[in-house]
Amino acid sequence: MPDLPQSSLVAPSDRRWIIAAVVVFSGLSLWGAITSRAFLEADSCTHYMYARAALQDSRYWHYLVNVWGRPVCTGLYALPALVAGRMGVRVFSLLLALTCSWLAYLIARRQGRVRPVLAMIFTLAQPLVFLHSFSELTELPFAALLVLGFWAYQRRWWGLMALAIGFTPASRPEGFGFLLLAGLALLLHRRAYWLPLLLAPLVAWDVSGWILYGKQVPWWMWLISEWPYAGTSLYESGPWYHFLRAMPAVVGPFIFPMVGIGVWLTVRRHIPLRRGRAECAHARRVDLLIAIIPLLIFVGHSTLYALGRMASSGELRYMMIVAPFWALLAADGWTWAMDRLSVAQRYRLRAAALAACLPFGVNLIYPVVPLKYMSDWDRADRFAEWYRASDVSSLYPHIAASHPGIFYFLDRPVDAPDNIQWLKETLMQVPEGTLLIWDPTYGIFNADQRRKVPLADIYHAGWVPLSNPPADIGEFRFFHSKPTPTGAPAAK
């Protein structure tokens, strides 16, 4: 397949549709970003806290390599968070969503699709892509790296592919699987000399973490020693069809059937594999991988969730990391369906735009956006106000809390000097001058076994229930240790 000249990257007939898609999506995303006070998920808060603190002070540079924070996510969000706070991060997330959709368009155009703009429209039409476009999570950075690496593979730009895929493990755990796939691709294409570049980001992450965290283990062991995930999930397992029945919510109810058709069309076209010219063979490989990559994520996470392995909690956002690939498959399915229905060409994109916009209309009936705080976050906010206004802060300057909202509303980095890390081995020592806030969700359910601290363990360690807790604490429980040496005696 010959290279397209730069002037042909965008077909004239697609330009107005691309502009319309970008303007409409960006307007809705910015509205969501401005009006949503809450985080999309608790992890959003944690990632934002890491990113905001990372460049503020040299004491927090280690956030840039923190395993929980993810170096790619923290690194990309750090400057926007420093300059413009949450709004800066949310605008950057919007740019990542637009990047994913643009690369999907370029891939579809190079594959010779009749209306490649469908891939762009169906990427932006996915409900989870919209919600994540004003969030602070890891899925969009990962999706952008993955689709960039795939576009580079399609163009046979091996160095760019190696570098993009090399950074994916530092964005999400699924990246380790794609690291293996990219390595296999380089070997099969006889480009093994790019393997060092593929592994370079992982090695740099390990060495940087080893240096910033104090060289407590051999350098090549740092990442392994810090990796938090338990082999057996601390979350409840679920049915194998969990993600299958949820896919209409992931990609959109009108797009989901088209994804299935797109997979079927790919299989029908290219299996069994046929010999041909090298250019055609590579184009067929790309077509197959457009279907294989998202199916690997779908089957992999379905299996992990059904077996209760590797801290899989069944989050629908796991499927969003391959959003551009769902869109590429849906674009194929849409074209096939329009051909079978004999829909006139001038109506096909209009119908696609309507199908893309209809799910957003559901928000008018069942409002999801603007995002609002749940009751536990409101309680965390009230606690922060109470703590700052009461003399408890002088008696117990250190905070140990499982709920990320506590530190957000107190405006403290997660492991600031005044905080006690929520780790079982640390809490069992009952450090002096500490106020402990336990809640039944974040105190127990965590991907890291060390952060699972049942209420019975807290009582057993010797923590004392606070006698004058703030009002309306709900399911929060407050405990204290001995006050600081300069403080007054603890309330009995």
Side-chain angles (χ1 to χ4, degrees), residues 25-40:
F25 183 85
S26 298
L28 289 171
S29 177
L30 290 172
W31 166 73
I34 293 169
T35 59
S36 294
R37 181 168 172 255
F39 292 94
L40 182 59

Side-chain angles (χ1 to χ4, degrees), residues 45-46 49 53 64 77 138 230 262 273 285 297 322 353 356 361 389 402-403 406 416 420 441-442 462 481-482:
C45 178
T46 301
M49 296 288 284
L64 292 169
Y77 293 154
T138 60
L273 295 173
R285 281 193 294 269
I297 292 297
V322 286
S402 55
H403 197 294
I406 298 290
I420 301 297
T441 300
Y442 302 101
S481 61
K482 291 180 180 179

Side-chain angles (χ1 to χ4, degrees), residues 63-239:
Y63 283 161
L64 292 169
V65 295
N66 184 273
V67 173
W68 278 108
R70 310 294 179 207
V72 167
C73 186
T74 305
L76 290 177
Y77 293 154
L79 188 59
L82 185 67
V83 173
R86 286 177 66 187
M87 193 61 194
V89 175
R90 290 179 170 187
V91 171
F92 193 84
S93 291
L94 167 60
L95 295 177
L96 288 175
L98 294 175
T99 299
C100 288
S101 68
W102 173 244
L103 288 169
Y105 172 82
L106 293 180
I107 291 168
R109 181 150 174 75
R110 188 165 182 80
Q111 286 301 106
R113 302 299 190 259
V114 177
R115 297 312 301 263
V117 73
L118 283 170
M120 185 175 199
I121 292 173
F122 288 155
T123 300
L124 299 178
Q126 296 176 42
L128 288 190
V129 171
F130 171 66
L131 291 173
H132 282 246
S133 72
F134 53 93
S135 185
E136 304 83 6
L137 289 161
T138 60
E139 279 75 14
L140 270 180
F142 184 94
L145 281 174
L146 180 60
V147 73
L148 174 63
F150 187 76
W151 175 64
Y153 172 78
Q154 182 192 38
R155 301 296 303 261
R156 289 190 267 204
W157 293 347
W158 307 109
L160 179 58
M161 184 201 81
L163 194 60
I165 301 302
F167 274 104
T168 57
S171 181
R172 285 191 56 83
E174 295 91 342
F176 287 100
F178 286 106
L179 200 68
L180 293 175
L181 286 176
L184 180 62
L186 290 174
L187 291 174
L188 292 176
H189 285 277
R190 300 178 182 178
R191 298 295 189 277
Y193 49 82
W194 288 111
L195 287 174
L197 184 61
L198 178 67
L199 297 174
L202 190 63
V203 174
W205 180 16
D206 183 87
V207 173
S208 301
W210 176 68
I211 294 171
L212 291 173
Y213 276 83
K215 304 179 181 179
Q216 297 178 358
V217 296
W219 71 266
W220 51 272
M221 280 291 296
W222 179 80
L223 192 55
I224 297 172
S225 66
E226 289 289 315
W227 201 252
Y229 292 107
T232 301
S233 178
L234 300 180
Y235 304 103
E236 292 185 4
S237 60

Side-chain angles (χ1 to χ4, degrees), residues 422 424 427-428 436 438-440 443-445 449-461 463 479:
W422 191 267
K424 192 168 185 176
L427 298 181
M428 294 304 101
L436 183 148
W438 180 91
D439 77 283
I444 297 177
F445 297 102
Q449 181 73 37
R450 299 177 303 163
R451 297 175 186 269
K452 178 183 178 181
V453 187
L455 194 58
D457 289 354
I458 292 173
Y459 280 108
H460 181 73
W463 289 91
F479 300 85

Side-chain angles (χ1 to χ4, degrees), residues 234-245:
L234 300 180
Y235 304 103
E236 292 185 4
S237 60
W240 62 268
Y241 51 84
H242 166 73
F243 288 107
L244 178 61
R245 68 184 178 188

Side-chain angles (χ1 to χ4, degrees), residues 16-17 115 343-351:
R16 63 190 181 103
W17 285 101
R115 297 312 301 263
V343 177
Q345 288 290 337
R346 66 178 180 274
Y347 294 126
R348 294 188 177 195
L349 283 179
R350 297 176 189 178

Side-chain angles (χ1 to χ4, degrees), residues 222-409:
W222 179 80
L223 192 55
I224 297 172
S225 66
E226 289 289 315
W227 201 252
Y229 292 107
T232 301
S233 178
L234 300 180
Y235 304 103
E236 292 185 4
S237 60
W240 62 268
Y241 51 84
H242 166 73
F243 288 107
L244 178 61
R245 68 184 178 188
M247 283 302 293
V250 174
V251 301
F254 302 103
I255 298 175
F256 173 61
M258 302 301 135
V259 171
I261 294 173
V263 172
W264 170 71
L265 289 172
T266 301
V267 172
R268 191 183 69 171
R269 282 196 301 258
H270 300 298
I271 296 179
L273 295 173
R274 297 182 297 275
R275 292 184 178 181
R277 292 187 300 112
E279 289 290 342
C280 295
H282 187 65
R284 287 199 298 272
R285 281 193 294 269
V286 171
D287 257 359
L288 274 171
L289 287 171
I290 287 172
I292 290 171
I293 286 173
L295 289 177
L296 284 175
I297 292 297
F298 176 82
V299 173
H301 273 295
S302 295
T303 302
L304 290 175
Y305 183 56
L307 297 178
R309 306 294 294 179
M310 297 300 294
S312 179
S313 60
E315 294 275 5
L316 300 188
R317 56 189 170 97
Y318 300 160
M319 297 297 105
M320 206 212 74
I321 63 176
V322 286
F325 296 87
W326 299 129
L328 286 162
L329 291 169
D332 277 358
W334 187 269
T335 300
W336 181 90
M338 294 297 103
D339 287 343
R340 293 302 176 275
L341 295 173
S342 301
V343 177
Q345 288 290 337
R346 66 178 180 274
Y347 294 126
R348 294 188 177 195
L349 283 179
R350 297 176 189 178
L354 179 62
C357 290
L358 281 176
F360 294 99
V362 175
N363 195 70
L364 300 174
I365 304 171
Y366 300 102
V368 175
V369 181
L371 302 174
K372 297 179 180 179
Y373 284 126
M374 303 292 284
S375 59
D376 58 325
W377 285 80
D378 286 329
R379 287 196 295 272
D381 191 7
R382 287 194 295 271
F383 162 77
E385 293 181 5
W386 171 84
Y387 180 76
R388 283 191 292 260
S390 70
D391 60 356
V392 171
S393 59
S394 61
L395 295 172
Y396 308 105
H398 306 301
I399 295 290
S402 55
H403 197 294
I406 298 290
F407 299 117
Y408 174 72
F409 292 117

